[in-house]
């Protein structure tokens, strides 16, 4: 049985509030331009860091505050540009406001706070599946990069680095792509294309495997269901941000194939088979994450509804 919140959703109504809806080929084309074009905004920072001798391979050896500042700055600029470009498209082509991407006021702190807690619990569950099997071990590291000594850098990366990065990918895929396609065509098309696009966005990440690509697609589907169930983007933005932060700066694991700067609270490493732990790609490339995502989607799908829409105010019309 298909739940009503999947076929008739507030996010779809918000997408229809503009003067026009972008067709599927436009969604894909503009999505590619936004996803890759936004990274150009960080090029000046990368060039400056290169001439200063602070390229990515060297920043992990910098003091956590320094490396955390660098990572946070790069994330904020490049992914902030992704949010900006998405807003410009809906503002001047679709003629609707930023709020219609799923950022309506009301219960903001509750939805965002709950997203942070669920995201942290979900990734901790992934580590929890591996630890009893002996597939998570503590890695030897520089004491200055771990624990309380790195706390300043760890928090600096989270605010605003990961907060903006997580929100940006959600704005593009679940805030714009998903409801635009669902409103113009069918909900299943929005779910499919937005999830596949999210996976392809990470196709150039190092150490990518087939299972990692499957998990990225599953995460896209999970995030879509999460956003649709809440009829808002606040919660899934928080979930995405703290999921990435927990991987890299809380547990010291790779984030989608990449090591992160800013220090870490715990420095863990996978020591089991790659198909289960994810290997060099990090936990997102392993079966443990597959299990967590499938269970999470099942909970969202079958969680009892209250029979009342979360947001009930009328949708405003397009901007002039």
């Amino acid at each position: 049985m298909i739940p009503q919140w999947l076929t008739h959703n507030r996010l779809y109504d918000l997408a229809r509030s503009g003067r026009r809806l972008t067709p599927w080929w436009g969604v894909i084309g503009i999505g590619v331009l936004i996803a890759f074009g936004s990274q150009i905004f960080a090029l000046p920072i990368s060039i400056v860091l290169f001439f200063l001798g602070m390229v990515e391979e060297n920043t992990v050896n910098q003091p956590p505050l320094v490396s955390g500042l660098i990572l946070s700055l790069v994330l904020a600029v490049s992914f902030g540009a992704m949010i900006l470009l998405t807003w410009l498209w809906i503002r001047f082509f679709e003629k609707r406001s930023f709020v219609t991407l799923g950022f309506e006021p009301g219960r903001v702190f509750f939805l965002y706070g709950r997203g942070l807690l669920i995201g942290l619990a979900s990734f901790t569950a992934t580590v929890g599946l591996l630890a009893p099997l002996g597939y998570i071990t503590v890695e030897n590291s520089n004491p200055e990069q771990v624990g309380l000594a790195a706390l300043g850098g760890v928090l600096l990366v989270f605010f605003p680095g990961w907060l903006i990065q997580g929100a940006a990918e959600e704005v593009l895929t679940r805030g714009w792509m998903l409801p635009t396609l669902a409103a113009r065509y069918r909900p299943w098309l929005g779910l499919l294309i937005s999830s596949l696009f999210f996976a392809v966005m990470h196709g150039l990440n190092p150490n990518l495997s087939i299972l990692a690509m499957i998990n990225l697609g599953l995460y896209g589907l999970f995030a879509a269901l999460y956003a649709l169930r809440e009829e808002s983007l606040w919660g899934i933005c928080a979930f995405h941000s703290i999921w990435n932060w927990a991987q890299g700066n809380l547990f010291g694991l790779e984030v989608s194939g990449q090591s992160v700067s800013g220090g870490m609270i715990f420095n863990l490493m996978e020591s089991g088979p790659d198909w289960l732990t994810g290997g060099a790609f990090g936990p997102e490339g392993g079966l443990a994450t597959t299990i967590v995502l499938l269970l999470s989607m099942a909970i969202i799908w079958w969680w009892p509804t209250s029979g009342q829409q979360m947001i009930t105010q009328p949708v405003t019309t397009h901007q002039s």
Side-chain angles (χ1 to χ4, degrees), residues 75-91:
L75 290 174
V77 171
S78 58
F79 287 96
M82 185 179 292
I83 297 175
L84 174 63
L85 293 174
T86 305
W87 171 75
L88 289 174
W89 178 257
I90 69 164
R91 174 64 182 87

Side-chain angles (χ1 to χ4, degrees), residues 222 225 229 292-303:
F222 158 76
L225 295 177
R229 186 62 191 267
V292 170
L293 289 174
L294 290 175
L295 288 175
S296 300
M297 284 189 281
I299 292 172
I300 292 175
W301 190 274
W302 282 293
W303 191 269

Side-chain angles (χ1 to χ4, degrees), residues 5 9-12 14 99-112 114 170 174-175 178-179 223-238 309-311:
W5 53 263
N9 198 276
R10 174 72 176 178
L11 293 182
Y12 307 159
L14 291 172
V99 170
T100 62
L101 289 171
F103 293 110
E104 293 184 289
R107 305 185 74 199
V108 173
F109 293 107
F110 171 76
L111 295 176
Y112 202 88
R114 183 170 65 178
E170 294 306 322
R174 264 68 71 175
L178 166 63
L225 295 177
Y226 190 114
L228 291 174
R229 186 62 191 267
E230 286 194 340
E231 298 187 315
S232 169
L233 220 63
W234 290 112
I236 192 58
C237 284
Q309 292 291 339
M310 191 169 293
I311 303 173

